[in-house]
Amino acid sequence: MNADTKPHESQPAAQPSSKDDERLSSAPARTPSVISPANSSLRNSQDSSRPSLDGTVHEDADQAEQNMAVVSRASSGPAYTVFSTKMIYWIVAMNCISAFISPTTANIYFPALPSIAKDLGVSIGQANLSLTTYMIFQALAPTIFGDLADAAGRRPAFIIAMVIYLGANIGLALQRNFAALLVFRMMQSGGSSGTIALVYGVVADIAPSSERGRYMGIVGAGITVGPSLGPVIGGLLTQYLGWPSVFWFCVVVSVVFLVPYILAVPETGRKIVGNGSIPPQGWNMTLLDYIRFRRLPIDASRPPQAKRKFPIPNPFNTLRVLGNKDMALVLGYNALIYVGFMTCTATLSTQFADIYHYNNIQLGLCYLPVGVACMTSSISQGFILDWNYRRTAKKLGHKIDRKRGDNLKDFPIERVRIQLIFPLIIVGAAVYIAYGWVLQAELHVAVPLVLTFFIGLCVTGSFQIINTLIVDLYPEAPATATAANNFVRCLAGAVATAIIEILIGAWGRGWAYTFIALLFLIPSPILWVIQKNGPKWREERRLRSVARAERKERKEMEKNQQSEEDASQENAVRA
């Protein structure tokens, strides 16, 4: 609930138009209609002209003129979101922090691994099993939390995930047993990775396509900078405070995030609160709103909301996303780009340690160039995406509706996003190949560090653009689509990180990194196929979705009709 919005005031209607693809299924069906400001002004205008007993119409001319001016300025539909700009940036900032937590948690563990293995009396190979279990749950957890967020709302999913994460970190800090390490690392992965599916869904809730790039960039900066800062933080903590301090640090971070989130971050799920004007139910309220609402008198004029059961998430909804041609190709290619990013960051510490003989702190600092590049690329690409959207819309004569959001039915959103990727892919692949051969020649450390900066700019920039496109293509369930993206890329990343050291040992650094670069460069024509056929596939998917909704509604009507007939026959028998 928007903190700037009082619950007893009239709000803009949140029920979307059935013809608007951008807001398809964005508000729950059969929600109570709410009087918009425009309708309220029109009603007041009608009330100000009342016939007297003698049939003469007496009208307050000034009032009528003022009301008509309001009506003429009012938009023909509800706003895409009623949240203020300050509230939007507050929501995005909290989501950026949440996005930062998951990848940081995965990488903060690396410097502590040798110390943990020594204290628990296991080999490094056995300790590496905790990395494998972590990545498996990193792929699976979002499939549950993504569907939960789309069905029950963002807040319940966020809070459940972070509570699991908090408990797992406490367990990891206190455990001194290898089996406990594996179990708590799986829980830690499930909690932290579950939020990844949610952050992009929240951006889709509050930002229309024309302005989505900048907010996606801010949230994406948290995701991409985490792998770089994690080893730095982990190395410092392990060196000076011991490995348990790594997990106590995660405990502090989770508490610092949870307290303001529970207190003051409103529900944004469009199936729950529409554009933010529908009052949320208990578990979707912020704590401050819940306390305030309890003190307010009950408004008898407001129709009561039907109580909703807490839904059981269905992870197979995530897998169904892969059944769409456009989404399957987009997610598949995005996974290849992620492999390029993941293999670079995953092997940076081992290769630099082998070549330059650095300690843990020095190795952690070597991640800073790629981290700065990832953050810079993510934020700047967001603004470039919005600029390209406006440029293309102007060229096509498409009027951008920043208030209500655009209907993307006849707008080439695929081309708007994808045309920015091609130069990044080409330059990124060239830099990636150069990076491998520089490591092969063991040149001065400054050379590969500069190249990692450009890898962060180009490869991560491409990755963030496709993340934005995924949300654009699946507006009816953005968290579920993001979960599918996370599922595919994490599985691909797990395979890549498992074999990259083997490839380096067998082929050498130069040919191994060349192979990875060609892995995402050669299939790049897939993007042209998506750009050409994407609008057609998107429309086919929309029509299938409409047909499914009609069949479901028809079945419900038939079921209700049959129930009424059975009740009538039963009453007749009793009579």
Side-chain angles (χ1 to χ4, degrees), residues 16-27 80 270-271 474-478 541-546 548-549:
S17 170
S18 61
K19 297 181 180 180
D20 193 341
D21 296 334
E22 174 82 6
R23 293 170 281 133
L24 181 64
S25 302
S26 61
Y80 188 84
R270 297 184 73 84
K271 292 183 179 180
Y474 223 80
E476 62 270 24
R541 177 155 46 85
R542 187 190 71 84
L543 294 176
R544 289 197 302 268
S545 178
V546 171
R548 283 195 301 268

Side-chain angles (χ1 to χ4, degrees), residues 528-573:
W528 179 82
V529 175
I530 298 170
Q531 181 176 312
K532 180 181 179 181
N533 299 312
K536 179 182 67 175
W537 293 339
R538 176 158 45 95
E539 177 63 11
E540 292 174 355
R541 177 155 46 85
R542 187 190 71 84
L543 294 176
R544 289 197 302 268
S545 178
V546 171
R548 283 195 301 268
E550 291 176 349
R551 287 196 301 269
K552 183 178 179 180
E553 184 177 0
R554 187 163 54 248
K555 288 181 180 179
E556 289 180 354
M557 292 177 61
E558 293 174 354
K559 183 178 179 180
N560 293 335
Q561 184 178 2
Q562 183 64 38
S563 299
E564 292 176 358
E565 292 177 357
D566 293 342
S568 299
Q569 293 176 1
E570 185 176 350
N571 292 334
V573 170

Side-chain angles (χ1 to χ4, degrees), residues 397-461:
H398 178 87
K399 185 178 180 181
I400 297 176
D401 191 340
R402 291 184 172 85
K403 178 182 177 183
R404 293 177 295 155
D406 294 332
N407 186 343
L408 300 181
K409 180 176 180 294
D410 299 316
F411 188 76
I413 190 64
E414 293 86 355
R415 174 158 62 90
V416 170
R417 305 306 193 201
I418 290 175
Q419 63 185 189
L420 297 174
I421 297 179
F422 289 112
L424 295 176
I425 292 293
I426 295 173
V427 175
V431 173
Y432 208 95
I433 294 172
Y435 173 74
W437 290 105
V438 163
L439 292 182
Q440 179 79 18
E442 299 186 0
L443 299 182
H444 189 275
V445 67
V447 181
L449 288 180
V450 170
L451 292 176
T452 60
F453 178 85
F454 286 100
I455 289 174
L457 282 179
C458 298
V459 178
T460 308

